[in-house]
């Protein structure tokens, strides 16, 4: 997730990104590319939903990112994991999805790679941090942020092995995670395949309410 805005005037801006870094830690990172040339200066599709992010949502996102930085880096230390636990404790996409879900109760990120055992490690660390704050009567607003992060980790699906009930959601996230324009034909092919597969599944396996149809017994 990234935060953009004015720094010292209308012609000057700052852009920093929060994610789990492959070689160091989970947190805010500067020195990022402002434009991805191979995306032809286009937005990733889930950025089209930016109007949903009110000022309060953005502030809550910063709080979640800061809290998750502490939780993820502590989990890496507890687990004696190198490079900030990257891979085992998820990847950059997982860290962003957790914050997005904690604020908006949904995510547009694909793929989600965080699995069961490392999820429990992160959750247990988060619960201990929250318990420590409760015992010392510390910041209750930060405590609520930690609770939302725990709920996000519990509720987020995984794309390592997608169950039938989550397939359409995964396909929707695939489309939203791709750039709107790209020089790579694979992007166009993937979007087309995702759209066709979702249409087929909705026609064959899902009811009008969006729930899986019950199999017929013969």
């Amino acid at each position: 997730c990234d935060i953009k805005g004015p720094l010292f005037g209308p012609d000057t801006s700052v852009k920093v990104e929060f994610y789990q870094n492959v070689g160091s830690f989970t947190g805010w990172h500067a020195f990022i590319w402002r434009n991805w040339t191979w995306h032809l200066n286009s937005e990733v599709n889930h950025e089209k939903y930016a109007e949903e992010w009110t000022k309060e949502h953005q502030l809550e996102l910063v709080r979640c990112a800061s809290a998750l930085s502490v939780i993820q880096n502590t989990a890496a230390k507890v687990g004696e994991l190198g490079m900030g636990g990257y891979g085992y404790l998820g990847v950059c996409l997982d860290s962003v999805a957790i914050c997005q879900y904690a604020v908006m109760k949904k995510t547009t990120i694909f793929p989600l790679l965080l699995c069961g055992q490392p999820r429990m490690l992160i959750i247990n660390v988060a619960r201990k941090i929250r318990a420590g704050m409760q015992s010392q009567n510390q910041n209750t607003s930060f405590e609520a942020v930690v609770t939302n992060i725990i709920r996000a980790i519990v509720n987020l699906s995984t794309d390592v092995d997608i169950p039938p009930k989550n397939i359409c959601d995964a396909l929707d996230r695939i489309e939203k995670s791709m750039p709107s324009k790209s020089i790579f034909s694979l992007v166009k092919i993937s979007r087309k395949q995702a759209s066709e597969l979702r249409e087929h599944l909705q026609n064959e396996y899902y009811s009008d309410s969006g729930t899986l149809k019950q199999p017929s017994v013969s």
Side-chain angles (χ1 to χ4, degrees):
C1 53
D2 61 79
I3 301 295
K4 296 177 286 187
L7 182 59
F8 298 114
D11 298 323
T12 307
S13 64
V14 60
K15 180 175 180 180
V16 293
E17 288 191 352
F18 165 87
Y19 55 90
Q20 186 172 5
N21 189 278
V22 65
S24 54
F25 65 96
T26 301
W28 294 99
H29 300 270
F31 194 64
I32 58 168
W33 294 0
R34 292 183 61 86
N35 296 300
W36 303 91
T37 306
W38 52 88
H39 287 178
L40 307 178
N41 295 325
S42 69
E43 293 181 328
V44 175
N45 283 343
H46 58 229
E47 293 179 359
K48 294 179 180 178
Y49 301 86
E51 67 275 3
E52 298 180 10
W53 290 87
T54 64
K55 181 179 179 180
E56 183 53 41
H57 285 149
Q58 293 178 53
L59 291 172
E60 186 68 10
L61 180 66
V62 173
R63 298 184 191 105
C64 283
S66 300
L68 187 60
S69 297
V70 175
I71 294 168
Q72 289 275 59
N73 294 319
T74 302
K77 183 176 181 180
V78 170
E80 299 182 343
L81 304 170
M83 297 185 176
Y86 187 91
Y88 183 72
L89 297 180
V91 297
C92 50
L93 296 173
D94 292 294
S95 60
V96 173
I98 291 170
C99 291
Q100 188 184 29
Y101 194 99
V103 177
M104 304 297 286
K105 305 300 184 291
K106 62 181 179 180
T107 183
T108 55
I109 301 296
F110 182 91
L112 303 175
L113 303 179
L114 186 59
C115 295
Q117 187 172 350
R119 285 193 191 220
M120 290 309 304
L121 172 58
I122 299 171
I123 289 171
N124 288 336
V125 167
R127 292 178 64 187
K128 288 181 180 179
I129 290 174
R130 185 178 62 181
M133 297 173 61
Q134 291 172 339
S135 66
Q136 298 178 32
N137 295 319
Q138 292 184 346
N139 194 324
T140 54
S141 62
F142 189 82
E143 180 186 327
V145 170
V146 175
T147 298
N148 287 335
I149 288 174
I150 294 172
R151 287 174 179 166
I153 297 172
V154 169
N155 290 317
L156 278 170
S157 59
T158 177
D159 297 319
V160 175
D161 185 13
I162 306 173
K165 67 177 182 178
N166 293 341
I167 290 177
C168 285
D169 171 67
L171 292 170
D172 186 54
R173 288 184 284 109
I174 287 174
E175 292 192 79
K176 290 178 179 177
S177 294
M178 285 190 278
S180 56
K181 294 180 290 184
S182 176
I183 62 173
F184 299 114
S185 60
L186 181 61
V187 172
K188 297 178 182 178
I189 295 171
S190 298
R191 182 180 290 113
K192 183 174 183 293
Q193 289 178 337
S195 178
E196 290 176 348
L197 178 56
R198 180 171 54 192
E199 182 179 358
H200 170 73
L201 290 171
Q202 288 175 335
N203 290 337
E204 296 293 329
Y205 298 102
Y206 285 83
S207 65
D208 293 337
S209 63
T211 58
L212 279 170
K213 294 178 181 178
Q214 295 299 317
S216 59
V217 179
S218 57

